[in-house]
Amino acid sequence: QIKLVESGGGSVQAGGSLTLSCEASGYNSGSGSLGWFHQVPGKEREGVAAIDENGGINYEDHVKDRFTISRDKTKNILYLQMNDLKPEDTGTYYCAADERWVRLWAGAPSYWGQGTQVTVSS
C-alpha cells in the first residue's frame, strides 16, 4: 500500500524560495518514478518535474531554470527546491508515483498525494 504525503508549502514573496517534500511509504526505494504536479482553480493538473529510478529528470519549461527535483532513496523522500518563485507558481502541488515513467509524465500516475499549498505574492 503506497501513501504519498507532501509538506513544505507556504506563503512567500515573489523571488523567494521554498522546498517541498514528499514522503513515500510502502514504495520501493530506488524503484519507479516520482514527480510533482501543479494545479490552480479552473485548470488541469500539470507536470512540473519528474525523476525516474535511475536519476533521469524532466522539467516543465517554465520552471526548468528555477526548480530542482531530487530524490533521497535511503529515506524514500522526494524534494522540489523552488527558487525565484513567481505569482504564477501559486497553487496546489501534488506528489505522484508510478512504476512507469510514461504514465507518470502523462498525468495519469498510479498514486497521488493530497497536495500542499504554495502562495506567492507580488
Side-chain angles (χ1 to χ4, degrees), residues 16-113:
S17 299
L18 286 172
T19 299
L20 306 184
S21 300
C22 171
E23 184 173 358
S25 61
Y27 191 79
N28 294 328
S29 298
S31 298
S33 298
L34 299 169
W36 291 99
F37 289 76
H38 172 242
Q39 188 170 33
V40 298
K43 295 186 178 181
E44 296 181 355
R45 193 172 298 182
E46 298 182 341
V48 175
I51 183 169
D52 68 17
E53 60 189 359
N54 298 315
I57 295 171
N58 270 8
Y59 290 104
E60 190 270 330
D61 287 342
H62 294 149
V63 308
K64 184 177 180 180
D65 297 322
R66 298 185 294 119
F67 294 4
T68 302
I69 189 171
S70 61
R71 179 179 187 173
D72 187 333
K73 293 183 177 181
T74 63
K75 297 181 179 180
N76 217 13
I77 299 176
L78 178 72
Y79 298 98
L80 185 67
Q81 177 65 48
M82 309 166 71
N83 297 323
D84 191 24
L85 283 161
K86 302 177 180 180
E88 49 264 46
D89 296 321
T90 292
T92 304
Y93 286 78
Y94 297 89
C95 180
D98 200 281
E99 295 86 354
R100 294 181 290 276
W101 172 274
V102 172
R103 185 172 181 177
L104 173 66
W105 198 239
S110 297
Y111 305 97
W112 288 107

